[in-house]
Amino acid sequence: RLFDFTLTAAGLLLEAPVVGSIALMVRLSSRGPVLYSQTRVGFDGRQFKMYKFRTMVVDAEAQGAQMAVSGDPRCTRIGSFLRKTSMDELPQLWNVLRGEMSLVGPRPERPCFVEDLKREIPRYALRHKMKAGMTGWAQVHGMRGNTCIQKRVELDLYYIENWSVGLDIKILVKTIFGGFLSPNAY
């Protein structure tokens, strides 16, 4: 927690001008709120509101929850850029500061998908035995977006079983130097 808190507080201070600029771009480029919150499942199955910059048109999920896909027509122009660069995720630093997430851990999923995934994938629920993260072992191995969920779970479980501060640092370095620009980020 101290590791998360210290790095997150420093990151928020350093990124304040970038976050402010992104908020202004989102506000000026389309109608609707700058931030978007979505219920996610975290540690011990607890639900929390995860924050992102809004990247889709207002009421993008009026027809129900759906996974994002490459070239998603619901994305705004600035939203597509933010997703490709993962800058839409910066507001999650507030979730880390509040203790709802960690910088590193399995990515949290939406409750409507979790129940299905628990039934389909053995050991899926074990991902909730560790705090959800902004980035993780699966993400730095290209498992983002519409990729094999089974492989993502395997990588998440590897991380949980082999956790160390050193592994967290390795994942953060990989995220900073390439993980933000994954071809599967959309």
Side-chain angles (χ1 to χ4, degrees):
R1 178 77 182 119
L2 181 62
F3 180 82
D4 280 342
F5 186 84
T6 304
L7 286 179
T8 301
L12 282 169
L13 288 174
L14 292 172
E15 294 174 350
V18 173
V19 168
S21 298
I22 292 170
L24 185 62
M25 288 189 296
V26 171
R27 176 42 111 193
L28 296 175
S29 67
S30 62
R31 72 176 182 83
V34 170
L35 293 178
Y36 177 75
S37 70
Q38 198 174 61
T39 301
R40 297 291 177 116
V41 178
F43 182 67
D44 273 345
R46 282 186 236 131
Q47 295 185 11
F48 66 97
K49 292 284 185 190
M50 186 176 82
Y51 297 98
K52 292 181 160 200
F53 282 115
R54 184 179 53 80
T55 59
M56 294 190 175
V57 297
V58 174
D59 297 328
E61 292 194 325
Q63 305 301 322
Q66 27 182 318
M67 295 272 196
V69 295
S70 181
D72 200 319
R74 300 173 298 159
C75 280
T76 63
R77 192 168 45 180
I78 190 69
S80 292
F81 170 76
L82 292 175
R83 283 174 170 257
K84 285 178 185 163
T85 59
S86 299
M87 287 195 273
D88 63 319
E89 313 258 340
L90 291 176
Q92 290 168 37
L93 289 170
W94 288 111
N95 291 110
V96 175
L97 210 55
R98 292 169 45 148
E100 298 163 327
M101 291 177 70
S102 182
L103 289 171
V104 181
R107 287 291 295 159
E109 194 50 78
R110 296 166 67 179
C112 59
F113 298 131
V114 167
E115 291 309 313
D116 291 337
L117 293 169
K118 279 184 191 176
R119 282 191 298 275
E120 295 170 18
I121 301 172
R123 301 178 65 212
Y124 176 84
L126 293 175
R127 298 171 74 250
H128 299 125
K129 294 300 174 191
M130 181 168 259
K131 201 174 278 190
M134 286 184 66
T135 187
W137 192 242
Q139 285 68 38
V140 298
H141 284 88
M143 302 309 290
R144 297 181 59 179
N146 193 17
T147 56
C148 176
I149 191 73
Q150 180 71 38
K151 181 68 174 167
R152 209 179 311 171
V153 171
E154 287 173 22
L155 290 166
D156 286 338
L157 295 177
Y158 172 87
Y159 168 76
I160 291 167
E161 293 164 1
N162 295 281
W163 178 85
S164 70
V165 172
L167 183 57
D168 277 2
I169 291 169
K170 180 178 181 177
I171 292 168
L172 287 171
V173 169
K174 282 180 166 258
T175 299
I176 292 167
F177 295 104
F180 287 119
L181 302 173
S182 168
N184 297 321
Y186 42 80

